[in-house]
Amino acid sequence: MQKNDELILKIEDMGVDGAGIGKSDGMTFFVKDAVIGDVVRAKIIKLKKTYGYARLMELLEASADRVEPNCPYYRQCGGCQIQALSYEKQLEFKENKVRNNLERIGGFTKIPMEPIVGMDEPYHYRNKAQFPVGTDKEGHIVTGFYAGRTHTIIPNRDCALGLPVNREILDIVIDFMEKYHVSAYDEKTGKGLVRHVLIRCGFSSQEKMVCLIINGKSLPHGEKLVEALRKIDGMTSISLNCNTERTNVILGRKTRTVLGPGVIEDTLAGVPLRMGVHEFYQVNTPAAETLYAKAREYAGLKETDFLLDLYCGMGTIGLSMLPDCLRLVGVEVVPQAVDGAKQTAARLGLDADRADFRCQDAGAAAAQLAAEGARPDVIVVDPPRKGCDEAALTAIAEMAPRTVVMVSCNAATAARDTKWLTEHGYKAVEVQPVDLFPRTRHVETVVLLSKGEIDSKKVRV
């Protein structure tokens, strides 16, 4: 076999990134956009010793689980890797993904896992979108999303995962740019003005925010754009973010508000929040509430308990659990998130004795707390994709809380960290996958670990 050879493949499995898997002459091939049960004609694009990658050229026989995607751009866009698979099978794929990681990485032979929780409406769930702005070959302004592994914009103002208002906002922005001859940014030359349009919406409040990321300090005729956008129902804040650097990072350091307070409000898991341009916030509010409710259930807090929330972000998980316990300490390395958590606590009438948020690296903070003799009853961790630092895990083991609740966006690192904790005195009691990102390969996982028996659960490992 060699590059550009064509093969007929029966797709028998799917990889962790959502690509279909087929075999030919003992070689395993990964085929993007193919789903389990398909028979495809595919062209080899890269070969390794025992596996390769192939491009889907023709669908010869469609799987019984293949569906017509809602978005005509799903193959070009890098956002929805498994949209062509029925939602039932998407959930099965994600559940298997979590289980396989627990087996292969965690080393668990009996999986303490509940069935994945999906969504009733797995489209139009994203409360935030960032649209790059550019020009097409004819010089027309376009917005959309980057094609997979490229910075080529696929024009699309109506993402099937985003909210319907996104199109209305993008129509107004593009009409404004064309009318007043405002240029789009060109990554190759570093010239042009408008780089991205960021849109954020509150699911409960219905408040809306628009931020234009620009390659400059001001937007010519910007008052005309504000005048048009403010007519949208719920438009609360409009701002300009300055990013003049040659970088792939979307947001620059300085943001100037041109309408409203610079934030929108929303409620998540009973916690009232204010979000600006920079703050991290779960993009799927309904599914995040399911996720946080499960974490709260697993925590099993008592009214005299001390709760430690590591990698706490804006403090939402810890604050949602605070009615169940006596004291909360939250740790987060991002200053804006810590400021937001403190402001939320203040609005709730909580002083630092009840809810204390600290801007520190999670591992360093956990080690410091352990050295000071802190003994939390429950620790919640919600780390980034790379998982928990070993320093944080070591400190958790030293502080020896009766319960650890792990919320993870990466099933592989969740399995790794769960294994570490089970090797240091904990039992994995239960695992709950939650589909926070329908139509994509991503899945959230909540893991309950305990020092002893938990009456309401059966220890299965």
mmCIF file of all heavy atoms in Angstrom, residues 406-429:
data_model
loop_
_atom_site.group_PDB
_atom_site.id
_atom_site.type_symbol
_atom_site.label_atom_id
_atom_site.label_comp_id
_atom_site.label_asym_id
_atom_site.label_seq_id
_atom_site.Cartn_x
_atom_site.Cartn_y
_atom_site.Cartn_z
ATOM 1 N N MET A 406 -14.742 14.297 40.976
ATOM 2 C CA MET A 406 -13.962 14.757 39.838
ATOM 3 C C MET A 406 -14.887 15.042 38.656
ATOM 4 O O MET A 406 -15.623 14.168 38.206
ATOM 5 C CB MET A 406 -12.931 13.707 39.432
ATOM 6 C CG MET A 406 -12.003 14.123 38.297
ATOM 7 S SD MET A 406 -10.924 12.756 37.807
ATOM 8 C CE MET A 406 -10.129 12.381 39.371
ATOM 9 N N VAL A 407 -14.854 16.274 38.160
ATOM 10 C CA VAL A 407 -15.578 16.659 36.950
ATOM 11 C C VAL A 407 -14.538 16.854 35.863
ATOM 12 O O VAL A 407 -13.575 17.597 36.045
ATOM 13 C CB VAL A 407 -16.387 17.958 37.164
ATOM 14 C CG1 VAL A 407 -17.126 18.351 35.896
ATOM 15 C CG2 VAL A 407 -17.366 17.799 38.324
ATOM 16 N N SER A 408 -14.705 16.177 34.728
ATOM 17 C CA SER A 408 -13.632 16.187 33.727
ATOM 18 C C SER A 408 -14.195 16.297 32.319
ATOM 19 O O SER A 408 -15.194 15.659 31.977
ATOM 20 C CB SER A 408 -12.798 14.913 33.835
ATOM 21 O OG SER A 408 -11.837 14.855 32.799
ATOM 22 N N CYS A 409 -13.510 17.093 31.491
ATOM 23 C CA CYS A 409 -13.852 17.200 30.071
ATOM 24 C C CYS A 409 -13.004 16.263 29.222
ATOM 25 O O CYS A 409 -13.107 16.278 27.994
ATOM 26 C CB CYS A 409 -13.679 18.643 29.591
ATOM 27 S SG CYS A 409 -11.987 19.279 29.757
ATOM 28 N N ASN A 410 -12.156 15.455 29.857
ATOM 29 C CA ASN A 410 -11.275 14.541 29.142
ATOM 30 C C ASN A 410 -11.316 13.179 29.824
ATOM 31 O O ASN A 410 -10.747 12.994 30.901
ATOM 32 C CB ASN A 410 -9.845 15.100 29.124
ATOM 33 C CG ASN A 410 -8.899 14.269 28.273
ATOM 34 O OD1 ASN A 410 -9.151 13.094 27.991
ATOM 35 N ND2 ASN A 410 -7.796 14.870 27.861
ATOM 36 N N ALA A 411 -11.999 12.223 29.182
ATOM 37 C CA ALA A 411 -12.178 10.907 29.793
ATOM 38 C C ALA A 411 -10.847 10.197 30.025
ATOM 39 O O ALA A 411 -10.720 9.392 30.959
ATOM 40 C CB ALA A 411 -13.091 10.044 28.922
ATOM 41 N N ALA A 412 -9.850 10.484 29.200
ATOM 42 C CA ALA A 412 -8.546 9.829 29.347
ATOM 43 C C ALA A 412 -7.837 10.291 30.617
ATOM 44 O O ALA A 412 -7.347 9.466 31.402
ATOM 45 C CB ALA A 412 -7.681 10.097 28.123
ATOM 46 N N THR A 413 -7.756 11.605 30.841
ATOM 47 C CA THR A 413 -7.082 12.085 32.054
ATOM 48 C C THR A 413 -7.929 11.809 33.285
ATOM 49 O O THR A 413 -7.380 11.614 34.382
ATOM 50 C CB THR A 413 -6.752 13.583 31.951
ATOM 51 O OG1 THR A 413 -7.934 14.322 31.649
ATOM 52 C CG2 THR A 413 -5.720 13.830 30.868
ATOM 53 N N ALA A 414 -9.243 11.763 33.133
ATOM 54 C CA ALA A 414 -10.095 11.393 34.264
ATOM 55 C C ALA A 414 -9.791 9.967 34.710
ATOM 56 O O ALA A 414 -9.692 9.677 35.912
ATOM 57 C CB ALA A 414 -11.570 11.528 33.893
ATOM 58 N N ALA A 415 -9.630 9.061 33.740
ATOM 59 C CA ALA A 415 -9.289 7.673 34.064
ATOM 60 C C ALA A 415 -7.916 7.584 34.724
ATOM 61 O O ALA A 415 -7.721 6.852 35.698
ATOM 62 C CB ALA A 415 -9.327 6.820 32.800
ATOM 63 N N ARG A 416 -6.964 8.350 34.198
ATOM 64 C CA ARG A 416 -5.609 8.359 34.773
ATOM 65 C C ARG A 416 -5.629 8.845 36.222
ATOM 66 O O ARG A 416 -5.032 8.234 37.115
ATOM 67 C CB ARG A 416 -4.717 9.270 33.927
ATOM 68 C CG ARG A 416 -3.284 9.388 34.408
ATOM 69 C CD ARG A 416 -2.642 10.650 33.832
ATOM 70 N NE ARG A 416 -3.219 11.868 34.405
ATOM 71 C CZ ARG A 416 -3.080 13.076 33.868
ATOM 72 N NH1 ARG A 416 -2.410 13.230 32.734
ATOM 73 N NH2 ARG A 416 -3.616 14.128 34.459
ATOM 74 N N ASP A 417 -6.328 9.978 36.465
ATOM 75 C CA ASP A 417 -6.347 10.555 37.807
ATOM 76 C C ASP A 417 -7.167 9.701 38.774
ATOM 77 O O ASP A 417 -6.849 9.622 39.971
ATOM 78 C CB ASP A 417 -6.897 11.981 37.747
ATOM 79 C CG ASP A 417 -5.975 12.920 36.975
ATOM 80 O OD1 ASP A 417 -4.810 12.550 36.737
ATOM 81 O OD2 ASP A 417 -6.434 14.010 36.583
ATOM 82 N N THR A 418 -8.207 9.067 38.263
ATOM 83 C CA THR A 418 -8.984 8.149 39.103
ATOM 84 C C THR A 418 -8.117 6.974 39.540
ATOM 85 O O THR A 418 -8.148 6.546 40.704
ATOM 86 C CB THR A 418 -10.226 7.638 38.336
ATOM 87 O OG1 THR A 418 -11.075 8.752 38.032
ATOM 88 C CG2 THR A 418 -11.003 6.619 39.147
ATOM 89 N N LYS A 419 -7.338 6.441 38.597
ATOM 90 C CA LYS A 419 -6.428 5.344 38.938
ATOM 91 C C LYS A 419 -5.450 5.783 40.023
ATOM 92 O O LYS A 419 -5.211 5.030 40.994
ATOM 93 C CB LYS A 419 -5.654 4.913 37.683
ATOM 94 C CG LYS A 419 -4.644 3.800 37.943
ATOM 95 C CD LYS A 419 -3.884 3.440 36.667
ATOM 96 C CE LYS A 419 -2.869 2.327 36.937
ATOM 97 N NZ LYS A 419 -2.104 1.985 35.703
ATOM 98 N N TRP A 420 -4.881 6.982 39.900
ATOM 99 C CA TRP A 420 -3.917 7.482 40.890
ATOM 100 C C TRP A 420 -4.562 7.521 42.276
ATOM 101 O O TRP A 420 -3.957 7.075 43.267
ATOM 102 C CB TRP A 420 -3.438 8.877 40.491
ATOM 103 C CG TRP A 420 -2.209 9.345 41.219
ATOM 104 C CD1 TRP A 420 -0.929 9.325 40.783
ATOM 105 C CD2 TRP A 420 -2.172 9.902 42.554
ATOM 106 N NE1 TRP A 420 -0.080 9.832 41.739
ATOM 107 C CE2 TRP A 420 -0.808 10.196 42.832
ATOM 108 C CE3 TRP A 420 -3.130 10.180 43.517
ATOM 109 C CZ2 TRP A 420 -0.404 10.752 44.047
ATOM 110 C CZ3 TRP A 420 -2.736 10.725 44.732
ATOM 111 C CH2 TRP A 420 -1.389 11.016 44.987
ATOM 112 N N LEU A 421 -5.762 8.047 42.348
ATOM 113 C CA LEU A 421 -6.420 8.169 43.652
ATOM 114 C C LEU A 421 -6.793 6.809 44.234
ATOM 115 O O LEU A 421 -6.727 6.614 45.450
ATOM 116 C CB LEU A 421 -7.656 9.067 43.526
ATOM 117 C CG LEU A 421 -7.347 10.557 43.330
ATOM 118 C CD1 LEU A 421 -8.590 11.324 42.913
ATOM 119 C CD2 LEU A 421 -6.753 11.160 44.609
ATOM 120 N N THR A 422 -7.160 5.852 43.375
ATOM 121 C CA THR A 422 -7.483 4.513 43.885
ATOM 122 C C THR A 422 -6.224 3.788 44.370
ATOM 123 O O THR A 422 -6.315 2.863 45.166
ATOM 124 C CB THR A 422 -8.203 3.651 42.831
ATOM 125 O OG1 THR A 422 -7.375 3.515 41.667
ATOM 126 C CG2 THR A 422 -9.541 4.262 42.447
ATOM 127 N N GLU A 423 -5.076 4.210 43.889
ATOM 128 C CA GLU A 423 -3.815 3.647 44.368
ATOM 129 C C GLU A 423 -3.331 4.325 45.652
ATOM 130 O O GLU A 423 -2.309 3.938 46.218
ATOM 131 C CB GLU A 423 -2.738 3.765 43.283
ATOM 132 C CG GLU A 423 -2.996 2.857 42.076
ATOM 133 C CD GLU A 423 -2.045 3.138 40.924
ATOM 134 O OE1 GLU A 423 -1.371 4.205 40.952
ATOM 135 O OE2 GLU A 423 -1.988 2.320 39.993
ATOM 136 N N HIS A 424 -4.085 5.376 46.072
ATOM 137 C CA HIS A 424 -3.686 6.123 47.270
ATOM 138 C C HIS A 424 -4.858 6.227 48.250
ATOM 139 O O HIS A 424 -5.103 7.278 48.848
ATOM 140 C CB HIS A 424 -3.171 7.508 46.879
ATOM 141 C CG HIS A 424 -1.862 7.479 46.150
ATOM 142 N ND1 HIS A 424 -1.768 7.150 44.813
ATOM 143 C CD2 HIS A 424 -0.581 7.699 46.581
ATOM 144 C CE1 HIS A 424 -0.494 7.180 44.437
ATOM 145 N NE2 HIS A 424 0.237 7.502 45.492
ATOM 146 N N GLY A 425 -5.601 5.131 48.362
ATOM 147 C CA GLY A 425 -6.558 5.034 49.463
ATOM 148 C C GLY A 425 -8.015 5.261 49.141
ATOM 149 O O GLY A 425 -8.861 5.222 50.047
ATOM 150 N N TYR A 426 -8.349 5.493 47.864
ATOM 151 C CA TYR A 426 -9.747 5.773 47.517
ATOM 152 C C TYR A 426 -10.372 4.625 46.730
ATOM 153 O O TYR A 426 -9.673 3.833 46.093
ATOM 154 C CB TYR A 426 -9.859 7.077 46.728
ATOM 155 C CG TYR A 426 -9.715 8.285 47.626
ATOM 156 C CD1 TYR A 426 -8.451 8.784 47.925
ATOM 157 C CD2 TYR A 426 -10.833 8.877 48.199
ATOM 158 C CE1 TYR A 426 -8.305 9.863 48.788
ATOM 159 C CE2 TYR A 426 -10.697 9.954 49.062
ATOM 160 C CZ TYR A 426 -9.439 10.441 49.350
ATOM 161 O OH TYR A 426 -9.306 11.499 50.223
ATOM 162 N N LYS A 427 -11.689 4.567 46.763
ATOM 163 C CA LYS A 427 -12.457 3.625 45.958
ATOM 164 C C LYS A 427 -13.236 4.406 44.908
ATOM 165 O O LYS A 427 -13.852 5.422 45.220
ATOM 166 C CB LYS A 427 -13.437 2.837 46.829
ATOM 167 C CG LYS A 427 -12.795 1.958 47.877
ATOM 168 C CD LYS A 427 -13.866 1.305 48.739
ATOM 169 C CE LYS A 427 -13.243 0.452 49.844
ATOM 170 N NZ LYS A 427 -14.280 -0.120 50.735
ATOM 171 N N ALA A 428 -13.217 3.935 43.675
ATOM 172 C CA ALA A 428 -14.058 4.516 42.633
ATOM 173 C C ALA A 428 -15.459 3.940 42.804
ATOM 174 O O ALA A 428 -15.689 2.757 42.595
ATOM 175 C CB ALA A 428 -13.501 4.180 41.254
ATOM 176 N N VAL A 429 -16.379 4.791 43.195
ATOM 177 C CA VAL A 429 -17.726 4.340 43.540
ATOM 178 C C VAL A 429 -18.656 4.383 42.337
ATOM 179 O O VAL A 429 -19.413 3.446 42.090
ATOM 180 C CB VAL A 429 -18.305 5.201 44.680
ATOM 181 C CG1 VAL A 429 -19.718 4.752 45.042
ATOM 182 C CG2 VAL A 429 -17.397 5.132 45.906
#
